[in-house]
Amino acid sequence: MEKIVFIQTGFGVDVHGQDITKAAVRAVRHAIFTNSMPGIEAFLPDGDLNNMVVNVKLALPCDAELLDHDAIKAIIPYGTVTVEIMAGGMLTTSGIFLADKADKNDLMYIVNASVETGY
């Protein structure tokens, strides 16, 4: 990315089921779904949203190898999207094991996201 224009941050939690992709999708949605970038086209080459570059950084507490990168990329509607993974986030107890919610244990997964937008 040559120039970062906008950075959005968020977090996501999977309370039951221990699904790292579900927590990561929620983190990215939290970062981008309450923002608007009016005027972003003025910064982009040819004024085209498809020339936008988006780097999604995710801090995962575990199971990085299970993350569905395509599910993350599908959330971003325009441009070229990359996904970068790093250690972070949090594992903490949900306080209860619920077999009917596909729990493997009583942990909840918390993921942090930073979404960098530019060109």
Side-chain angles (χ1 to χ4, degrees), residues 92-115:
T92 189
T93 183
S94 68
I96 188 169
F97 175 87
L98 298 174
D100 64 323
K101 299 292 183 187
D103 272 348
K104 301 171 193 81
N105 51 55
D106 73 339
L107 293 177
M108 67 171 88
Y109 288 12
I110 303 172
V111 172
N112 296 352
S114 174
V115 180

Side-chain angles (χ1 to χ4, degrees), residues 66-112:
L66 300 178
L67 182 72
D68 181 346
H69 288 238
D70 290 334
I72 302 302
K73 290 177 180 181
I75 300 167
I76 309 298
Y78 303 104
T80 302
V81 182
T82 60
V83 178
E84 182 181 335
I85 304 303
M86 61 194 70
M90 178 186 277
L91 294 176
T92 189
T93 183
S94 68
I96 188 169
F97 175 87
L98 298 174
D100 64 323
K101 299 292 183 187
D103 272 348
K104 301 171 193 81
N105 51 55
D106 73 339
L107 293 177
M108 67 171 88
Y109 288 12
I110 303 172
V111 172
N112 296 352

Side-chain angles (χ1 to χ4, degrees), residues 5 15 43 84 110:
V5 178
V15 177
F43 293 98
E84 182 181 335
I110 303 172

Side-chain angles (χ1 to χ4, degrees), residues 25-85:
V25 163
R26 289 175 175 165
V28 174
R29 288 182 190 270
H30 182 246
I32 69 170
F33 276 23
T34 58
N35 293 285
S36 179
M37 296 185 290
I40 186 74
E41 293 167 310
F43 293 98
L44 299 174
D46 299 324
D48 186 345
L49 290 173
N50 290 310
N51 290 329
M52 188 166 51
V53 175
V54 181
N55 186 27
V56 177
K57 294 181 179 178
L58 297 169
L60 307 179
C62 64
D63 295 343
E65 70 283 359
L66 300 178
L67 182 72
D68 181 346
H69 288 238
D70 290 334
I72 302 302
K73 290 177 180 181
I75 300 167
I76 309 298
Y78 303 104
T80 302
V81 182
T82 60
V83 178
E84 182 181 335
I85 304 303

